[in-house]
């Protein structure tokens, strides 16, 4: 008979449900089902998933997927969302340090901002200044939650389920990108209902539902440990598993969390920065740069250009579905297969396809009537999205595992900010020929993709402490 802890003064039953106290016999305890047992952890990330879906739609809008109008040609309109993300990310760093065990209020603030931006989109869908303000608000909302969400998801998930929880960020962004890509090309210009109004309705939905589902949000046990409330941390651990009970295993998990916190707490700031230097370089290359290369304005315009000449309006829908499929495949594999090999291979393939796309547009630019070449370029874009969606999801996992606990907010925020700067640079260089732009991206991505396999650690089933330690090695081999 395993040990149990009673949270009341009554005679202790065999198992204690923290939401409903019943005398439950062990023979009636549900069978051990890992997926069902960890479902409360994925439920705790549902609020973030809805918010990131709205972010994906606004990201795609600034990267070429919007209605044909004068404001779509404005670079300010394109990179306004990314500037908003930078602002929100900067603001999120002090919040991570000072809002201990109150991360749900960051989520609520983000949801309110998205709700306001949705109202602006829906009410004045053709006013440029109004749309610009709405995009800034959405960017700030997403920037506010990226770092807190990834830190929170890494702390609430068990080692064997952490990848699935962390992938929620990029998986939801990918889903939002797909929504924007699917409805925009088919929107009839004669319809007296601007597509931006539909975009606003989506944002209103993605702003309201997180406020409804905030009850599923469970604060991190480590945050409660930081303020010395071990009982709240214990209850938090119990709510993150099924059935929601406090047992000997829950106590063991609490002791493990306390050991991790104490070990990180007494590490000096200088040592934390020293341990973060090499992981920072890795993540600037593998998250900030590679993620931007997988989906950006120059790349998206290759498809828009192809469709404009050959009329294949279905291509954007297929590309969006392929990107979602790639992300879904990564979501399935992340905790059940090795991470380093598949993500490195997908990065190398994606970069090779970028170089091929660059050469394709170098040839097409001299002969715009080369429809067969445009068809090939369109097909390459679709395949790039499949591998790009697969690789993007792994970047969330690596970013949340790379840095020591005390240094996480600052260094993760820096990586997110650089990612937005790369996107802005790619937008500003759109005047260059597509071929030259994509060739530069492809060459850098290929070099980084090859390096990826040798310098990134294998973190599947590793604890956070083990993953952080392995990131500090320049050359890594398969973890024993």
């Amino acid at each position: 008979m395993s040990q149990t802890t009673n949270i009341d003064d009554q005679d202790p039953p065999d198992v204690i449900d923290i939401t409903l106290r019943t005398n439950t016999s062990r023979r009636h305890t549900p069978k051990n089902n890992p997926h069902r047992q960890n479902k409360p952890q994925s439920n705790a990330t549902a609020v973030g998933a809805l918010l990131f879906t709205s972010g994906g739609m606004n990201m795609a809008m600034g990267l070429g997927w919007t209605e044909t109008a004068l404001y779509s040609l404005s670079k300010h309109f394109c990179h306004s969302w990314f500037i908003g993300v930078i602002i929100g990310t900067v603001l999120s760093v002090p919040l991570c340090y000072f809002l201990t065990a109150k991360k749900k209020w960051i989520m609520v603030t983000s949801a309110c901002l998205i709700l306001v931006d949705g109202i602006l989109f829906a009410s004045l869908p053709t006013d440029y200044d109004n749309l610009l303000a709405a995009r800034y608000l959405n960017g700030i909302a997403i920037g506010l939650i990226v770092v807190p969400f990834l830190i929170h998801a890494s702390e609430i998930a068990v080692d064997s389920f952490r990848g699935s929880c962390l992938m929620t960020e990029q998986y939801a962004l990918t889903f939002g990108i797909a929504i924007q890509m699917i409805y925009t090309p088919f929107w009839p210009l004669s319809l007296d209902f601007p597509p931006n109004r539909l975009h606003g309705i989506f944002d209103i939905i993605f702003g309201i539902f997180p406020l409804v589902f905030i009850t599923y949000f469970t604060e991190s046990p480590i945050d409660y440990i930081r303020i010395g409330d071990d009982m709240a941390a214990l209850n938090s651990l119990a709510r993150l598993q099924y059935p929601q009970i406090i047992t000997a295993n829950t106590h063991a998990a609490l002791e493990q969390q306390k050991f991790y916190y104490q070990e990180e707490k007494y590490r000096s700031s200088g040592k934390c920065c020293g341990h973060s230097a090499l992981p920072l370089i890795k993540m600037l290359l593998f998250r900030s740069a590679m993620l931007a290369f997988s989906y950006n304005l120059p790349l998206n315009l290759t498809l828009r250009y192809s469709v404009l000449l050959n009329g294949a309006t279905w291509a954007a829908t297929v590309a969006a579905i392929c990107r979602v499929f790639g992300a879904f495949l990564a979501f399935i594999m992340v905790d059940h297969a090795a991470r380093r090999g598949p993500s490195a291979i997908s990065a190398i393939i994606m970069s090779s396809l970028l170089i091929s796309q660059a050469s394709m547009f170098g040839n097409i630019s001299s002969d715009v009537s080369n429809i067969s070449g445009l068809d090939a370029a369109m097909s390459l874009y679709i395949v790039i999205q499949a591998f790009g969606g697969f690789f993007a999801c792994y970047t969330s996992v690596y970013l949340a595992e790379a840095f020591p606990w005390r240094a996480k907010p600052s260094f993760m925020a820096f990586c997110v900010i650089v990612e937005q700067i790369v996107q802005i640079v790619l937008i500003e260089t759109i005047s260059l020929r597509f071929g030259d732009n994509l060739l530069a991206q492809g060459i850098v991505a290929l070099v980084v993709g090859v390096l990826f396999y040798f310098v990134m650690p294998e973190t599947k089933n590793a604890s956070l402490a083990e993953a952080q330690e392995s990131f500090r090695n320049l050359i890594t081999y398969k973890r024993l």
Side-chain angles (χ1 to χ4, degrees):
M1 185 74 68
S2 65
Q3 298 179 6
T4 59
T5 299
N6 190 8
I7 57 177
D8 295 317
D9 294 328
Q10 302 174 0
D11 294 335
D14 289 334
V15 180
I16 300 157
D17 191 325
I18 66 171
T19 58
L20 179 63
R21 296 191 301 272
T22 56
N23 291 330
T24 306
S25 173
R26 183 163 299 281
R27 65 177 176 271
H28 295 302
T29 302
K31 293 182 180 180
N32 184 23
N33 184 329
H35 177 73
R36 189 178 185 185
Q37 186 177 9
N38 296 326
K39 188 175 181 180
Q41 298 165 31
S42 59
N43 288 343
T45 65
V47 172
L50 291 166
L51 299 175
F52 284 122
T53 303
S54 170
M57 292 185 64
N58 281 272
M59 177 182 177
M61 173 177 277
L63 297 180
W65 300 104
T66 184
E67 62 177 300
T68 303
L70 291 176
Y71 63 76
S72 67
L73 302 177
S74 166
K75 290 182 179 179
H76 187 193
F77 182 86
C78 292
H79 57 55
S80 56
W81 185 83
F82 300 102
I83 295 175
V85 173
I86 292 174
I87 295 171
T89 303
V90 171
L91 295 175
S92 73
V93 175
L95 296 180
C96 289
Y97 286 112
F98 297 115
L99 285 184
T100 305
K102 295 180 181 179
K103 287 190 174 69
K104 73 175 180 180
W105 297 115
I106 301 177
M107 300 293 173
V108 169
T109 302
S110 177
C112 291
L113 290 175
I114 289 176
L115 179 60
V116 172
D117 105 66
I119 293 173
L120 292 176
F121 264 108
S123 59
L124 296 170
T126 58
D127 184 81
Y128 176 81
D129 293 334
N130 175 78
L131 298 178
L132 206 60
R135 283 180 53 75
Y136 271 109
L137 286 176
N138 190 278
I140 292 172
I142 299 304
L144 277 176
I145 64 170
V146 172
V147 173
F149 175 85
L150 291 177
I151 293 175
H152 176 260
S154 69
E155 292 175 351
I156 66 171
V158 295
D159 297 341
S160 60
F161 196 64
R162 189 171 62 243
S164 298
C165 290
L166 289 170
M167 276 193 175
T168 302
E169 181 226 4
Q170 284 300 317
Y171 186 74
L173 281 169
T174 295
F175 190 70
I177 288 171
I179 294 175
Q180 188 71 19
M181 289 179 65
I182 288 172
Y183 82 82
T184 303
F186 294 102
W187 202 269
L189 297 178
S190 59
L191 188 65
D192 189 21
F193 190 91
N196 285 334
R197 180 161 286 155
L198 178 62
H199 181 99
I201 293 173
F202 275 119
D203 277 351
I204 291 173
I205 293 172
F206 293 133
I208 292 177
F209 274 78
L211 298 175
V212 175
F213 294 139
I214 197 65
T215 54
Y216 288 100
F217 188 86
T218 303
E219 297 288 354
S220 166
I222 292 181
D223 282 340
Y224 286 120
I225 293 172
R226 287 175 61 188
I227 60 177
D229 193 344
D230 287 359
M231 193 61 201
L234 194 65
N235 288 339
S236 177
L237 284 168
R239 292 188 182 95
L240 290 168
Q241 63 187 21
Y242 182 87
Q244 295 184 358
I245 56 178
I246 298 177
T247 66
N249 289 335
T250 316
H251 281 281
L254 176 64
E255 293 303 317
Q256 184 180 18
Q257 296 269 34
K258 290 173 69 175
F259 177 79
Y260 170 73
Y261 168 72
Q262 293 295 336
E263 188 178 36
E264 294 289 328
K265 176 183 177 182
Y266 293 105
R267 185 172 289 160
S268 67
S269 299
K271 182 171 287 188
C272 284
C273 291
H275 287 173
S276 301
L278 186 56
L280 177 63
I281 295 174
K282 292 181 180 181
M283 296 317 302
L284 288 176
L285 292 173
F286 305 136
R287 162 80 183 205
S288 303
M290 291 292 288
L291 192 56
F293 293 160
S294 72
Y295 194 82
N296 55 73
L297 183 59
L299 179 60
N300 289 341
L301 288 183
T302 62
L303 181 65
R304 299 302 299 264
Y305 178 79
S306 301
V307 171
L308 181 65
L309 293 183
N310 64 14
T313 55
W314 53 266
T317 299
V318 175
I321 293 173
C322 285
R323 189 172 181 92
V324 171
F325 176 77
F328 180 70
L329 185 61
F331 191 81
I332 294 175
M333 293 177 57
V334 64
D335 288 318
H336 302 285
R339 295 174 183 172
R340 181 176 57 181
S343 53
I345 291 172
S346 64
I348 293 172
I349 294 176
M350 182 186 71
S351 59
S352 301
L353 293 173
L354 278 172
I355 295 174
S356 299
Q357 186 80 317
S359 62
M360 186 69 65
F361 265 80
N363 295 331
I364 291 174
S365 61
S366 61
D367 184 9
V368 294
S369 64
N370 188 353
I371 301 299
S372 62
L374 289 172
D375 290 340
M378 186 176 65
S379 301
L380 280 174
Y381 176 88
I382 292 173
V383 180
I384 287 172
Q385 291 311 304
F387 286 99
F390 183 89
F391 176 81
C393 287
Y394 283 92
T395 65
S396 299
V397 183
Y398 289 127
L399 182 62
E401 295 176 337
F403 303 106
W405 174 75
R406 288 184 61 187
K408 267 188 175 184
S410 301
F411 283 88
M412 289 175 64
F414 185 74
C415 292
V416 173
I417 290 171
V418 172
E419 176 191 335
Q420 314 313 313
I421 292 175
V422 173
Q423 288 283 13
I424 292 172
V425 170
L426 292 175
I427 291 171
E428 290 296 325
T429 58
I430 195 63
S431 57
L432 299 177
R433 291 201 317 171
F434 290 159
D436 296 339
N437 200 316
L438 294 175
L439 182 61
Q441 292 184 46
I443 292 174
V444 174
L446 182 60
V447 174
V448 172
V450 173
L451 287 175
F452 186 98
Y453 183 81
F454 297 100
V455 303
M456 289 297 281
E458 177 56 65
T459 62
K460 183 173 80 76
N461 291 331
S463 67
L464 273 178
E466 291 172 336
Q468 290 161 12
E469 183 178 358
S470 61
F471 265 95
R472 296 196 288 269
N473 299 322
L474 177 60
I475 305 297
T476 60
Y477 301 95
K478 186 175 181 179
R479 186 175 61 86
L480 299 178

